[in-house]
Amino acid sequence: MEKSVKESLIQQLNTVWIFGYGSLTWNPNFIYRSKKIGLLRGYVRRFWQGNTTQRGTTEKPGRVATLVGRKRAKHPPNKAAPHRIKICFISAYRKSIKIIHFIEFYIPYGQVWGVAYEVEGHEHVLKALGYLNNRETQLGGYTTIVTNFYARGHSETDQPINVLLYSATSENSLYMGPCDMNNMAEQIVKAKGFNGPNTDYVTKLADFVKQNIPEDKDHHLFLLDRLIRNYSRSRETRLNSHVYHEQMNDVITDYIVDPVVS
């Protein structure tokens, strides 16, 4: 974190709001005065950032969440007015073109839900930012952003809260970017760091969102969570089957080597 950014935040009445959209939602690990559930506009959450410390290794890097910018809405942030898209299905036969029908659907503007923590007091702010600078920047490859946060239930007249958050860009060396979701799930299932399995990072985040933020329809997170759980069950079944066959082979071998005499 740049020194000027830290100093300017500390000078704001010794209070800083920190936004979490990944493991900070369920494991902030710093002292805070209050917290609010809400959203940022203009971003979506994606598991495109690599991790070789907390949730992976250099040989098998894990994947953790970062924010990807999306076009900001022109409407007030409390109204989820989406893009309106029309798709026209056309039939072409013997050089004649016939419009069959239109399908109309909506694509929401980018938004990401999470938790904003209010850290109050000079000492607590210094400790929280120092801890996060190590956890997110030095170990995680993230940079700091200050943006607007809209608490759950905000109205058009409510002022947004300035929050600090950590996000990764494609320029950092750990950035992995998008890939096939099945491949992404497999990478995560096989990765483990000093904070535990990479799967815990995703499944705990998905569980937290489902239980505490039911209005969040993060299809990327929920699809990845489902693929990981299915892949983990399938992998466990294969391992159990392999162990069972090995045990049966040992029993058969023991019987052949030392048969029972009737």
Side-chain angles (χ1 to χ4, degrees):
M1 180 189 305
E2 294 181 4
K3 186 177 180 180
S4 59
V5 174
K6 181 187 288 188
E7 289 178 348
S8 65
L9 289 169
I10 294 173
Q11 291 170 3
Q12 295 178 17
L13 301 175
N14 285 338
T15 299
V16 174
W17 285 87
I18 298 169
F19 180 75
Y21 58 91
S23 59
L24 286 181
T25 58
W26 49 270
N27 183 33
N29 207 23
F30 54 79
I31 297 173
Y32 58 89
R33 180 177 179 272
S34 65
K35 64 180 180 179
K36 296 178 182 289
I37 288 176
L39 58 87
L40 311 179
R41 302 204 70 86
Y43 298 95
V44 291
R45 177 171 38 217
R46 293 291 182 266
F47 288 81
W48 293 358
Q49 174 67 356
N51 187 280
T52 57
T53 51
Q54 300 108 318
R55 297 295 177 179
T57 63
T58 53
E59 293 78 19
K60 291 184 178 181
R63 280 182 175 266
V64 290
T66 186
L67 297 182
V68 178
R70 287 289 184 267
K71 184 178 180 181
R72 289 186 179 274
K74 295 181 180 179
H75 55 274
N78 67 309
K79 296 181 180 179
H83 292 287
R84 190 172 183 173
I85 307 295
K86 284 186 176 182
I87 295 181
C88 176
F89 286 84
I90 299 175
S91 172
Y93 179 70
R94 292 184 178 180
K95 298 183 180 180
S96 65
I97 297 177
K98 179 182 178 181
I99 296 178
I100 301 176
H101 60 277
F102 284 94
I103 290 182
E104 190 170 1
F105 62 97
Y106 295 89
I107 299 177
Y109 287 99
Q111 65 181 31
V112 57
W113 286 83
V115 182
Y117 299 94
E118 180 189 20
V119 182
E120 187 177 63
H122 186 81
E123 182 179 351
H124 293 322
V125 168
L126 280 177
K127 285 184 177 180
L129 294 181
Y131 164 72
L132 291 172
N133 183 49
N134 179 67
R135 167 175 163 169
E136 306 294 337
T137 305
Q138 296 181 17
L139 295 178
Y142 289 80
T143 58
T144 54
I145 298 174
V146 177
T147 189
N148 290 334
F149 168 82
Y150 301 91
R152 171 192 275 160
H154 60 268
S155 68
E156 295 183 31
T157 58
D158 292 337
Q159 290 295 319
I161 300 172
N162 285 330
V163 293
L164 179 146
L165 63 89
Y166 295 82
S167 181
T169 65
S170 58
E171 282 74 31
N172 80 83
S173 59
L174 295 174
Y175 188 79
M176 298 178 73
C179 74
D180 176 81
M181 292 294 285
N182 288 287
N183 293 338
M184 187 180 295
E186 184 176 357
Q187 290 173 351
I188 290 171
V189 168
K190 293 180 178 179
K192 182 179 181 180
F194 62 71
N195 278 352
N198 198 185
T199 52
D200 285 355
Y201 179 95
V202 180
T203 57
K204 287 183 178 181
L205 175 57
D207 288 342
F208 178 88
V209 171
K210 291 174 183 178
Q211 294 169 11
N212 298 278
I213 320 177
E215 58 267 59
D216 186 4
K217 309 302 180 185
D218 190 334
H219 301 296
H220 178 80
L221 169 62
F222 297 150
L223 172 59
L224 185 59
D225 175 58
R226 187 167 66 251
L227 290 172
I228 285 171
R229 293 177 194 268
N230 291 341
Y231 189 91
S232 297
R233 282 194 293 266
S234 175
R235 191 165 182 245
E236 184 177 354
T237 300
R238 290 196 302 270
L239 287 173
N240 290 339
S241 176
H242 179 70
V243 170
Y244 171 78
H245 286 299
E246 283 190 340
Q247 291 173 343
M248 289 301 297
N249 287 335
D250 290 341
V251 171
I252 294 171
T253 301
D254 291 341
Y255 180 82
I256 294 174
V257 173
D258 189 18
V260 177
V261 178
S262 57

